[in-house]
Amino acid sequence: MKLTIDGQVVPWNFDAACTLQDVLLDIQRRLIDESKVVAEIKLDETVSDLDMSLTPDQVTVDKIVAMSFTTTPYKESLLVYFESAGEKIDEVRTSLAGIVELIVADKVDAAMNSLKDGLDTLIWFFDVLQQATANGTLNVADIDVKGKGLYEFVNKFNTMLSEFVLAMKNNDLTLINDYLEYELEPALNDLAGALPQMIASVKGE
């Protein structure tokens, strides 16, 4: 398999049993050391017997002729994400009233599906935040959220999300409704309000 990163051929010896997932994980590890992230991946789809509906852990590299990666600096990618995160958080926040209405109308399945989408968005945001903090791109000491440090706020938010997920599993609609109205919405407002500080921290301002 021919492997290129940003147009440069990368010498690499692969075991035929190595999967596409193995390659992707290894590429990510290499790029982290260079403060880069993958912006685009291209696979040669003309290879016979390569079923593109398979997941990365189901495709072995002997089925692929070529793979190319285009990268972008990590800090640049993080800024783009944070600059668009406000809109994503606002979408979750504005969806809460509709979820409450669905619960009141006894449309529980629809409410749970909408909740799951919102929670997935928040979990992804906190994963990005954790990674940015771990590699030193974001300094949590610079961020103030309603008089609390970002680290304290995130820990409290994660605890709330864990309790909220438990209430969902137990189908405790009363507790879910209370969390939506009195806990989650104010916390999302505080989180969105702290985004400009996060952006400034990443920029080094």
Side-chain angles (χ1 to χ4, degrees):
M1 181 181 75
K2 179 182 178 182
L3 178 68
T4 59
I5 300 178
D6 293 330
Q8 300 295 315
V9 177
V10 178
W12 218 336
N13 294 319
F14 291 98
D15 187 299
C18 184
T19 67
L20 175 56
Q21 179 171 302
D22 295 329
V23 175
L24 294 176
L25 290 173
D26 201 72
I27 288 289
Q28 288 175 340
R29 282 193 292 267
R30 289 175 177 234
L31 292 177
I32 286 174
D33 294 337
E34 300 175 20
S35 296
K36 295 179 180 179
V37 293
V38 175
E40 183 182 62
I41 302 173
K42 290 183 179 179
L43 293 177
D44 184 340
E45 300 180 19
T46 63
V47 190
S48 60
D49 299 327
L50 178 55
D51 182 355
M52 297 306 293
S53 68
L54 296 176
T55 57
D57 62 318
Q58 297 173 318
V59 179
T60 53
V61 294
D62 61 325
K63 298 293 185 181
I64 305 171
V65 170
M67 185 187 309
S68 65
F69 294 84
T70 302
T71 70
T72 188
Y74 176 73
K75 183 177 288 188
E76 180 181 311
S77 175
L78 186 63
L79 282 172
V80 170
Y81 178 80
F82 278 153
E83 286 167 354
S84 65
E87 183 178 336
K88 293 182 174 64
I89 291 172
D90 192 55
E91 287 175 359
V92 176
R93 185 184 61 77
T94 55
S95 72
L96 299 183
I99 293 171
V100 171
E101 290 178 3
L102 288 171
I103 292 174
V104 171
D106 202 27
K107 297 180 180 179
V108 178
D109 288 343
M112 293 303 107
N113 287 335
S114 184
L115 273 174
K116 183 181 182 302
D117 291 339
L119 289 176
D120 286 345
T121 297
L122 294 176
I123 290 169
W124 175 254
F125 177 85
F126 284 120
D127 283 346
V128 172
L129 198 62
Q130 183 179 34
Q131 185 181 43
T133 301
N135 64 29
T137 307
L138 178 69
N139 185 358
V140 295
D142 295 338
I143 315 300
D144 176 83
V145 186
K146 290 287 186 178
K148 298 179 181 178
L150 180 60
Y151 183 78
E152 182 183 353
F153 174 83
V154 169
N155 281 341
K156 183 178 178 181
F157 201 107
N158 283 334
T159 298
M160 181 187 67
L161 286 181
S162 297
E163 294 172 350
F164 186 64
V165 170
L166 181 60
M168 289 176 63
K169 289 181 179 178
N170 293 334
N171 202 29
D172 189 337
L173 300 184
T174 300
L175 187 56
I176 290 172
N177 191 63
D178 286 345
Y179 269 117
L180 290 174
E181 291 195 65
Y182 306 116
E183 298 285 347
L184 189 54
E185 184 170 2
L188 290 175
N189 289 335
D190 294 344
L191 184 62
L195 280 172
Q197 296 179 66
M198 297 181 198
I199 292 171
S201 179
V202 173
K203 289 181 177 180
E205 297 177 349

